[in-house]
Amino acid sequence: EETHHLAVFGGKPQPPPGREALANSLAEALALDTGNGSAELAQAILRYTQETGILRAWRMGGKEILIFGELGLQEYAAAWVLAQAWEQDAKGAWNFLEGRLHNRAWRRPLFFLAELLPDANPLIQRILEADAPFEKPLQRSLRLAAAIATAHPEKSRQQVRQIAQRIEKIILNSST
């Protein structure tokens, strides 16, 4: 649910993503573009997203919250918000991501993030430098960086050689 909150509210401490909170956020955003009638338009968009299954209503703690109907939408939305944050403050976005690198719920958002960034090299470099628990025996950060780099070779050319050299070193050291 953390990725959902990040996607809907940009990581800001906000009320749970219920119908009213989402309608207000949407109306505020629409008011910037359309001016008058933004509240009505927000309600219409909200109805449409629920009728088509883009959003679903759940009851939690006696409150209705809205979630994405498909996990892929949630993951992409979280990555989109992170890409925006990365462009404005890469260090702040990284501070948010670093503790989530090896959380399985964040794997696809990381791949989406690499796709959304104009240059994935800085992200991949930070992943390579991440000091994950048990990094030496498991090489989780190296494997994650390699997976992202190979999924997005056109955006990570600088890191591919570095990753290949590190993998080669590990293989040579393990055979001796």
Side-chain angles (χ1 to χ4, degrees):
E1 301 317 310
E2 185 177 10
T3 54
H4 176 73
H5 190 273
L6 175 68
V8 173
F9 295 108
K12 301 173 193 158
Q14 297 281 345
R19 185 182 317 274
E20 185 177 336
L22 186 56
N24 290 339
S25 294
L26 187 55
E28 287 175 21
L30 289 168
L32 297 175
D33 290 337
T34 62
N36 294 337
S38 59
E40 294 81 16
L41 183 55
Q43 288 297 331
I45 291 171
L46 198 52
R47 271 193 312 277
Y48 173 80
T49 59
Q50 286 191 271
E51 289 171 6
T52 59
I54 294 170
L55 292 177
R56 293 185 191 159
W58 278 14
R59 305 246 358 121
M60 286 183 67
K63 293 184 178 182
E64 180 185 72
I65 65 165
L66 297 174
I67 62 164
F68 284 105
E70 296 293 329
L71 183 59
L73 293 172
Q74 175 179 317
E75 293 167 332
Y76 185 84
W80 185 83
V81 170
L82 281 167
Q84 304 282 320
W86 188 278
E87 291 299 312
Q88 293 175 5
D89 177 15
K91 186 178 187 302
W94 175 252
N95 288 340
F96 176 84
L97 280 173
E98 188 173 21
R100 294 163 176 81
L101 281 182
H102 303 295
N103 179 328
R104 290 192 50 74
W106 283 90
R107 187 164 175 90
R108 283 189 16 180
L110 285 167
F111 278 78
F112 286 138
L113 174 60
E115 181 63 33
L116 291 167
L117 292 173
D119 179 8
N121 285 299
L123 171 65
I124 294 168
Q125 184 62 40
R126 286 183 189 246
I127 293 170
L128 284 169
E129 294 169 358
D131 189 25
F134 307 107
E135 181 61 25
K136 188 166 177 136
L138 298 177
Q139 299 294 325
R140 294 186 319 171
S141 296
L142 176 60
R143 289 185 297 128
L144 178 60
I148 291 173
T150 56
H152 306 289
E154 70 288 350
K155 294 186 172 203
S156 59
R157 295 190 197 290
Q158 294 173 344
Q159 302 308 328
V160 171
R161 178 171 282 137
Q162 181 183 359
I163 291 167
Q165 289 170 343
R166 283 182 59 178
I167 292 171
E168 180 181 31
K169 184 178 176 184
I170 290 167
I171 292 169
L172 293 174
N173 287 340
S174 68
S175 63
T176 56

